[in-house]
Amino acid sequence: MAGSQRAMSVVTAMTDDDGEGTSDMTAEQQKADPVRVVAIIPARGGSKGVPRKNLRRVGGVPLIERAVRTASQTDGIDLVVVSTDDDEIAAVGEAAGARVVRRPAEISGDTASSESAILHALDVLEAEGEPAEVVAFLQATSPFIAQDALSGAVREVRERRADSVFAAHETYGFLWSRGGPGQPSGEGQADAGAAVALNHDAAHRPRRQDRDPHFLETGAFYVFRADGFRAAKHRFFGRIRIAEVPEWTAIEIDDEQQLRIARALAALHESPERVPVRAIVTDFDGVHTDDTATVDADGVERVRVSREDGMGVSLLRRAGIPMLILSTEVNAVVRARAEKLRVPVLHGIDDKESALRGWAEEVGIPLADIAYLGNDVNDLPALRIVGWPVAVADAHPLVLQAARVVLSRSGGHGAVRELIERVLPA
């Protein structure tokens, strides 16, 4: 960033002392000159580090859907656009409420820049008579986009207090690089691998409270004026400001390890109390039972179930919310328990995804409005297609990763009741 001519400051609060928002524009000017803010989310189908990355789930929700939801719910954003070359990403983005702009092949490869996708989307919108004045560029691979900070950044640019605002978190870290040839070593000899201090004097180590912070760009979002972006051909220009976000939100997914970390963070920070669905589908073994069985001399299996779950199912039935038990097992005990609960059952099902899709269509409830409760890997295909994938507390690690909600109770110990209580209104 060249320069003293560019103003950089931290966007932490956008209010005067009396709590009212500040602006360089009068109310009359804003009314006469409305600003159209378009969120653009570039999302290619290809990815080397994490295959099908933009469709992988964090907190049980595909990354592209998470980004669309955040943008759609952010104050000041008028339109959400997904730029993609992929049919499945397009379908998920559209279902989440975004407009899809088809990205041509020449700007969809590994070497294509985000800037090229944004320029293309702006051109398409303008050709359709919907030019944008402000762009909010969101990256789906940043799963934890701080909505309040994004809204504040949009307000800064809309009200012309900044031309470009980006997400960053505060850091007091001492940064180093490995020096190139000619960098002095400890003995005054050239050492190509020598450590070189970047943002500090290695000989002076002040306390944290005696140092000014630096800000590390997270990559989650960038908000800028469209005309300035077109002129500069990049996202940093004019008066640049920082939108400060919490450090835990800063993860950006480029490999499988980062995806696992993001899923753990989602379980820690995002588990909702309410599960607002219109239907519940459950596995049987390991969900209604503790996944163990006793077998007598005649080969008859007996399982342990929870009476607490039975009461929960009764409450759900009285509330008129449909429920289905979907099991791969072919066992009389499954049907017997379903009959006791007065719940329909499909058992002996190898393809749970197809069976669940068929049942959802039959009862007329979108998959997005269904919770599926599972515990093991054979539940993964069903978990991936519903809006609310839910795992019992002792589920397989892959199921825990796929879940949007992880219950506190284990299978056979009231897990079904716990989910039902989070579905039913208080």
Side-chain angles (χ1 to χ4, degrees):
M1 283 171 223
S4 58
Q5 294 180 353
R6 293 178 179 174
M8 176 177 283
S9 60
V10 180
V11 180
T12 53
M14 311 292 178
T15 58
D16 292 323
D17 293 338
D18 62 0
E20 294 297 321
T22 62
S23 173
D24 294 336
M25 301 171 65
T26 66
E28 291 76 13
Q29 286 174 319
Q30 292 184 52
K31 186 175 180 180
D33 183 27
V35 178
R36 183 164 179 77
V37 181
V38 177
I40 300 177
I41 308 168
R44 295 187 302 110
S47 174
K48 290 182 177 179
V50 182
R52 308 293 289 157
K53 179 168 61 177
N54 287 301
L55 291 166
R56 300 292 285 272
R57 290 177 178 249
V58 169
V61 181
L63 288 172
I64 186 63
E65 183 177 339
R66 291 176 68 93
V68 171
R69 285 183 182 179
T70 298
S72 299
Q73 295 166 7
T74 297
D75 290 341
I77 291 179
D78 304 308
L79 175 67
V80 182
V81 171
V82 170
S83 167
T84 187
D85 61 328
D86 184 87
D87 289 343
E88 189 176 1
I89 291 173
V92 173
E94 201 165 40
R99 180 181 300 184
V100 173
V101 170
R102 289 292 182 166
R103 193 165 164 180
E106 57 267 24
I107 57 170
S108 297
D110 293 336
T111 60
S113 67
S114 297
E115 281 79 2
S116 65
I118 294 167
L119 284 169
H120 173 261
L122 289 174
D123 288 344
V124 170
L125 291 174
E126 189 164 333
E128 294 175 353
E130 296 187 279
E133 294 188 46
V134 174
V135 176
F137 161 34
L138 277 62
Q139 299 208 92
T141 49
S142 294
F144 307 112
I145 298 173
Q147 191 172 316
D148 288 346
L150 174 59
S151 178
V154 168
R155 191 159 59 248
E156 284 284 280
V157 178
R158 278 183 62 109
E159 297 178 0
R160 299 181 182 275
R161 293 199 295 267
D163 299 299
S164 175
V165 181
F166 66 97
H169 72 83
E170 184 180 80
T171 178
Y172 288 84
F174 292 109
L175 299 182
W176 294 78
S177 71
R178 287 192 174 92
Q183 292 288 351
S185 69
E187 298 297 325
Q189 303 296 319
D191 182 356
V196 179
L198 294 180
N199 66 339
H200 65 288
D201 179 353
H204 178 57
R205 307 286 288 188
R207 299 175 304 169
R208 178 187 174 99
Q209 58 265 40
D210 297 327
R211 299 169 56 214
D212 291 328
H214 291 85
F215 290 88
L216 183 63
E217 186 180 332
T218 71
F221 66 78
Y222 306 82
V223 182
F224 42 79
R225 298 199 64 79
D227 54 0
F229 175 73
R230 285 187 181 279
K233 298 294 191 293
H234 60 80
R235 65 196 80 166
F236 299 109
F237 55 87
R239 297 163 298 163
I240 304 170
R241 291 194 176 188
I242 295 170
E244 188 174 351
V245 299
E247 184 174 358
W248 76 267
T249 68
I251 188 167
E252 190 171 5
I253 297 172
D254 285 314
D255 58 40
E256 292 286 351
Q257 175 66 14
Q258 290 165 334
L259 180 60
R260 287 192 290 272
I261 293 170
R263 286 169 169 168
L265 285 169
L268 181 65
H269 289 279
E270 293 187 342
S271 187
E273 289 302 314
R274 285 274 292 125
V275 179
V277 295
R278 295 169 54 193
I280 295 176
V281 179
T282 74
D283 184 23
F284 185 74
D285 286 322
V287 172
H288 288 265
T289 78
D290 60 4
D291 215 17
T292 63
T294 60
V295 184
D296 65 20
D298 297 320
V300 177
E301 288 191 5
R302 298 179 184 276
V303 298
R304 179 186 181 280
V305 297
S306 167
R307 289 187 180 278
E308 195 175 4
D309 286 346
M311 176 56 73
V313 173
S314 176
L315 294 172
L316 190 74
R317 192 173 60 249
R318 291 176 197 172
I321 297 176
M323 181 175 176
L324 172 71
I325 295 175
L326 189 57
S327 175
T328 56
E329 290 292 319
V330 182
N331 194 318
V333 72
V334 180
R335 182 166 293 281
R337 181 59 176 167
E339 289 176 354
K340 174 74 174 178
L341 296 174
R342 293 161 59 188
V343 168
V345 60
L346 296 174
H347 60 154
I349 302 297
D350 292 326
D351 185 353
K352 287 191 171 185
E353 178 181 344
S354 295
L356 178 51
R357 287 186 185 278
W359 181 79
E361 185 174 351
E362 179 184 328
V363 298
I365 297 177
L367 289 165
D369 294 332
I370 294 176
Y372 183 93
L373 178 58
N375 75 302
D376 216 331
V377 293
N378 61 336
D379 294 311
L380 289 172
L383 289 164
R384 289 183 183 124
I385 64 171
V386 297
W388 288 84
V390 184
V392 297
D394 56 343
H396 188 280
L398 291 177
V399 173
L400 294 175
Q401 289 179 9
R404 186 171 181 178
V405 175
V406 177
L407 301 175
S408 62
R409 298 192 185 186
S410 302
H413 294 274
V416 175
R417 175 68 175 269
E418 180 183 346
L419 174 58
I420 289 170
E421 288 182 342
R422 291 173 71 167
V423 169
L424 292 176

